[in-house]
Amino acid sequence: VIKDKMERVEQREWAEAAVIAVNATFPSSLEIASWPFWQRYLPQARECMTHIEYWDMASLEASVLLNNAGQYLKEHAQYMEAERFTQRALAINEQLLGTESSATAITLSNLAALYVEQGKYVEAEPLMLRALAIAEQVQVSEHPNTATHFNSLAVGIDPRTGTVVANT
């Protein structure tokens, strides 16, 4: 009822505030100890995704929330939803930070890892190669987690051929 009485501008402002609040509430870690928290608040992340899509939001908070939720969903084999979240996070990163940023590369590697997990090596390979190309251009010190992400990413590529290999 309250939402229906608001002007569209005010509705968008509240939706953006909700995304910021939910992102600030969620743990940045996906360690197993944080899973109960993620599971409990995943409905809020899903609702934020609805608002992000509806209002075509592009903020760093939205990107971080979607990327982290996508990773949680991947860990729980909810692949279709994880793909949707991670693809949207990637689109936001590319829009805000450009196609050559370390954050974009990390999201690319997360999406590639999601595809590898499902055996979709053809879809994963160009994402992995693109992420690695960005890593070569961007200094690793730009973000403390970059080296870890790219190390994990490199495991999925045969260094002799540059082709994706299955994780064993």
Side-chain angles (χ1 to χ4, degrees):
V1 171
I2 294 171
K3 181 180 164 188
D4 287 342
K5 291 185 181 268
M6 290 181 192
E7 297 291 326
R8 286 189 51 80
V9 172
E10 191 177 10
Q11 287 179 19
R12 181 185 174 103
E13 288 171 355
W14 277 104
E16 289 171 345
V19 169
I20 291 168
V22 170
N23 179 58
T25 302
F26 277 86
S28 58
S29 154
L30 290 174
E31 295 175 8
I32 293 174
S34 70
W35 285 5
F37 190 85
W38 271 101
Q39 185 175 9
R40 181 174 175 198
Y41 292 106
L42 190 59
Q44 283 77 13
R46 287 179 172 128
E47 186 63 24
C48 284
M49 174 60 146
T50 301
H51 291 304
I52 291 165
E53 289 179 327
Y54 180 80
W55 295 106
D56 196 26
M57 287 183 205
S59 68
L60 293 178
E61 294 87 359
S63 173
V64 170
L65 176 63
L66 296 178
N67 188 52
N68 288 342
Q71 291 303 293
Y72 172 82
L73 291 163
K74 177 185 80 101
E75 290 299 320
H76 291 81
Q78 296 178 36
Y79 299 129
M80 288 180 57
E81 192 173 20
E83 181 177 3
R84 185 172 147 240
F85 275 61
T86 309
Q87 284 177 340
R88 185 62 181 214
L90 176 60
I92 292 170
N93 281 343
E94 289 176 333
Q95 179 183 349
L96 294 179
L97 305 171
T99 58
E100 303 301 316
S101 76
S102 61
T104 299
I106 289 167
T107 308
L108 280 165
S109 72
N110 289 343
L111 186 56
L114 172 65
Y115 290 147
V116 167
E117 180 112 356
Q118 298 174 79
K120 296 180 177 179
Y121 305 118
V122 172
E123 292 90 341
E125 184 173 15
L127 300 174
M128 287 181 168
L129 294 174
R130 189 172 151 211
L132 286 172
I134 295 168
E136 290 173 356
Q137 295 174 358
V138 176
Q139 290 187 7
V140 173
S141 63
E142 187 176 316
H143 189 283
N145 294 329
T146 305
T148 303
H149 284 279
F150 291 122
N151 181 53
S152 298
L153 174 62
V155 172
I157 296 183
D158 183 335
R160 297 165 294 175
T161 63
T163 59
V164 176
V165 294
N167 290 343
T168 55

